[in-house]
Amino acid sequence: MFKAFLIKYAEIGVKGKNRYMFEDALVKQIRHTLKNCDGEFTVRKTDGRIYVDAVSDFDYEEAVEALRRVFGIAGICPVVYEEDEGFDKLKERVVRYIDEVYPDRHKTFKVAARRARKNYPLNSMEINMELGGVILDAYPEMSVDVHKPDIMLNVEIRDKIYIYSEIIPGSGGMPVGTGGKAMLLLSGGIDSPVAGYMIAKRGVKIDAVYFHAPPYTSERAKQKVIDLAKKVAKYTGPIYLHIINFTDIQLYIYDKCPHDELTIIMRRYMMRIAEHIAKENECLGLITGESIGQVASQTMQSLMATNEVCTLPVYRPLIGFDKMEIVDIAEKIDTYETSILPYEDCCTIFVAKHPVTKPNVKIIKHHEENLEEKIDELVKTALETDEMIIVS
Ligand code: ATP
Ligand code: MG
């Protein structure tokens, strides 16, 4: 029966003069998301609120699911609205609303009226009382509970009359694009897709880079990363995914550096290359899925060594999360099943039996000197392999 949604937004409501910018970004994201749903929709901004109207037949469940993925939405309220044709008509409408939405009437309720138009003949209290009485007359099995009602019946008197009672929780966060752009180091693992999701949730647009090492890593491993990017893109909008061939750099480091430091040195080159691509694409930071102590390359000392090559800020939203907590989010955003597919990752192919857990930056730098000028050439060549795919 619902053909429209009232969109409630959280933090973006309190952004002062920037509010319009945030609202416009949210409208844009909502339009973008609904384009992929069956049906035609219009999205409008009226009186500091956003309404979505279905202007054709549409799939209700699909539209709600899509809206639930849009960052910046606190709640999605299926709403009915009509022209104001007087209070008697409103009484009838409210009775019909209960009939249509709540076939089981053994429920408590409360009417919460709001008048945006102060010239309406009744004030909010009077509307609450009158409508409450009408509902009790029509449905004696219902009762009023002003503290914890099963049904909170919102009636808003605005340009039209709006009635809604359900608030479906949204994703929260801020509309993507209001917070600049960052480069996600996206692997095929569980963590990095979650990290990208979390930073995007704060309004940041995401670009991504994946390092692959053919023939040591397969086409299927690469496809897995593209599939993960697709899943993340359901929340973030299109992702520009850069795929870099890392094989020669890895083999060369393997050849020239102590094997217990391989992962750290390799990670330092990944960060350097990611930062280069980030800067070329106006990204304001890097994002990784690291979490303190998860593996040898993520101890405080290792993170310090990896971080040392970066000049851009590195955002690590999972830094204090346990694996189980990360898995919970991965399941919620539907990346987990893809992440656990058993394809090799370039970090796991060249790992040492006993990697350093407390690398010393000075010593690492000293060993990187073995790489001489040739590494710069290899980095340059690797950057030339950049294959950019727009994933949406
Ligand atoms: P993930 O589950 O995200 O793969 P991980 O626990 O396997 O993380 P590492 O392999 O040490 O951890 O990688 C740490 C971070 O480095 C990853 O979260 C990701 O951001 C980045 N990273 C690792 N491998 C790659 C890769 N092949 N391409 C791009 N980024 C990578
Ligand atoms: Mg990994």
Side-chain angles (χ1 to χ4, degrees), residues 166-227:
E166 200 190 345
I167 304 182
I168 303 161
S171 285
M174 317 259 232
V176 169
T178 54
K181 189 163 72 164
M183 180 65 69
L184 168 67
L185 283 89
L186 181 62
S187 69
I190 296 168
D191 307 327
S192 44
V194 174
Y197 163 86
M198 289 188 64
I199 296 294
K201 185 166 185 277
R202 299 305 304 164
V204 176
K205 187 160 169 29
I206 303 288
D207 279 357
V209 54
Y210 167 60
F211 297 93
H212 75 148
Y216 303 97
T217 61
S218 63
E219 275 302 301
R220 290 208 300 180
K222 175 173 142 185
Q223 188 56 46
K224 174 181 165 183
V225 173
I226 297 171
D227 292 343

Side-chain angles (χ1 to χ4, degrees), residues 93-388:
R93 186 66 191 91
V94 163
V95 168
R96 194 148 51 85
Y97 179 95
I98 298 281
D99 182 42
E100 288 166 350
V101 183
Y102 299 101
D104 171 15
R105 308 245 160 71
H106 292 88
K107 289 200 161 40
T108 61
F109 75 99
K110 172 184 177 176
V111 181
R114 274 171 71 175
R115 289 183 316 165
R117 265 194 287 130
K118 297 297 170 203
N119 63 355
Y120 197 76
L122 287 79
N123 68 28
S124 304
M125 279 304 274
E126 290 163 344
I127 300 172
N128 289 344
M129 302 275 285
E130 289 283 330
L131 293 182
V134 165
I135 293 170
L136 288 173
D137 287 346
Y139 309 115
E141 60 276 48
M142 294 185 76
S143 58
V144 173
D145 181 344
V146 290
H147 300 295
K148 270 190 136 190
D150 300 327
I151 304 168
M152 175 72 86
L153 188 72
N154 295 280
V155 177
E156 299 190 356
I157 317 279
R158 297 176 176 274
D159 55 326
K160 297 184 170 60
I161 309 257
Y162 295 82
I163 306 172
Y164 63 94
S165 54
E166 200 190 345
I167 304 182
I168 303 161
S171 285
M174 317 259 232
V176 169
T178 54
K181 189 163 72 164
M183 180 65 69
L184 168 67
L185 283 89
L186 181 62
S187 69
I190 296 168
D191 307 327
S192 44
V194 174
Y197 163 86
M198 289 188 64
I199 296 294
K201 185 166 185 277
R202 299 305 304 164
V204 176
K205 187 160 169 29
I206 303 288
D207 279 357
V209 54
Y210 167 60
F211 297 93
H212 75 148
Y216 303 97
T217 61
S218 63
E219 275 302 301
R220 290 208 300 180
K222 175 173 142 185
Q223 188 56 46
K224 174 181 165 183
V225 173
I226 297 171
D227 292 343
L228 281 172
K230 264 187 205 157
K231 300 229 160 178
V232 177
K234 282 194 168 186
Y235 295 88
T236 63
I239 295 178
Y240 288 40
L241 172 64
H242 300 262
I243 300 175
I244 299 285
N245 186 324
F246 202 55
T247 313
D248 291 343
I249 294 177
Q250 255 181 326
L251 290 174
Y252 186 59
I253 296 172
Y254 191 77
D255 199 29
K256 297 280 179 185
C257 298
H259 287 187
D260 60 346
E261 289 173 1
L262 274 183
T263 310
I264 295 293
I265 296 179
M266 215 179 67
R267 303 267 313 120
R268 281 163 62 93
Y269 276 95
M270 280 188 184
M271 297 305 260
R272 287 179 172 114
I273 292 173
E275 175 159 302
H276 184 95
I277 307 171
K279 284 182 174 168
E280 278 191 339
N281 291 280
E282 284 108 37
C283 292
L284 303 174
L286 302 175
I287 306 165
T288 73
E290 290 157 315
S291 143
I292 294 174
Q294 202 188 73
V295 286
S297 58
Q298 296 177 26
T299 62
M300 292 279 278
Q301 293 84 348
S302 296
L303 289 168
M304 186 173 158
T306 311
N307 201 67
E308 196 257 343
V309 299
C310 302
T311 59
L312 286 178
V314 181
Y315 296 102
R316 300 179 173 91
L318 308 181
I319 201 69
F321 280 44
D322 296 347
K323 197 73 184 187
M324 277 315 295
E325 294 170 309
I326 302 171
V327 166
D328 282 348
I329 303 175
E331 283 178 334
K332 189 182 91 183
I333 66 171
D334 191 34
T335 53
Y336 183 70
E337 291 300 322
T338 309
S339 288
I340 57 172
L341 293 173
Y343 306 132
E344 63 296 316
D345 179 81
C346 71
C347 287
T348 49
I349 282 172
F350 295 89
V351 286
K353 274 218 178 69
H354 301 289
V356 278
T357 53
K358 295 192 174 106
N360 175 308
V361 180
K362 263 195 198 141
I363 299 173
I364 298 276
K365 277 175 139 174
H366 178 65
H367 288 147
E368 276 182 359
E369 281 167 19
N370 294 346
L371 299 168
E372 300 177 324
E373 273 99 73
K374 186 168 172 202
I375 191 72
D376 300 330
E377 267 167 53
L378 290 177
V379 166
K380 202 166 151 245
T381 315
L383 282 166
E384 283 162 12
T385 66
D386 187 348
E387 177 197 352
M388 208 269 286

